[in-house]
Amino acid sequence: QVQLVESGGGLVQPGGSLRLSCAASESILSFNVMRWYRQAPGKEREEVAIMTVGGTTYYGDSVKGRFTISRDNAKNAMYLQMNSLKLEDTATYYCSSVKQLNIYWGQGTQVTVSS
C-alpha cells in the first residue's frame, strides 16, 4: 500500500512563499504520474500541478508562473514551491500518485494566506 505524507503547510502573508513536500513510501519512479491538488472550503477540488514519470510538468492556470513542481528521486519526494502567494491560494493541499491504475492520496496540509 502506497503511503503519501504531505508537509510544509502553514500561515503566510500575501506575496510570501512556501514549499510543500510529499514523501512517498516507495520509489516515486514507480508512479505513472504525481499531482498536487487543493481544495478550499465550499469549493471543488482543483488540480494544481502534475509531473509525469518522464518529468513533464503541467500547471493549472491559476498558479502558472508562481508554483513549481519538482521531485527528488533519491528521497522519494515531490515538492511544490509556491511563490507570490495570494489570498485565494488558501486551501488544503494534497499530493496524489497513480500506480498501475490505482490512485493514492496523502492526508493533506493546510496553507493559509492571510495578512
Side-chain angles (χ1 to χ4, degrees), residues 21-87:
S21 300
C22 173
S25 59
E26 61 183 75
S27 173
I28 60 174
L29 296 178
S30 69
F31 305 143
N32 304 97
V33 63
M34 296 189 75
R35 294 181 173 92
W36 284 100
Y37 287 92
R38 67 185 181 187
Q39 188 164 22
K43 295 188 176 181
E44 293 186 355
R45 186 175 63 198
E46 178 186 7
E47 188 173 72
V48 175
I50 302 170
M51 177 174 277
T52 69
V53 64
T56 304
T57 59
Y58 303 91
Y59 296 94
D61 289 341
S62 62
V63 306
K64 279 181 183 176
R66 300 188 298 123
F67 290 13
T68 303
I69 188 172
S70 63
R71 70 188 184 196
D72 186 329
N73 299 337
K75 295 183 178 179
N76 295 333
M78 178 177 69
Y79 307 100
L80 186 68
Q81 178 67 44
M82 306 187 295
N83 298 328
S84 303
L85 283 162
K86 304 176 180 180
L87 296 176

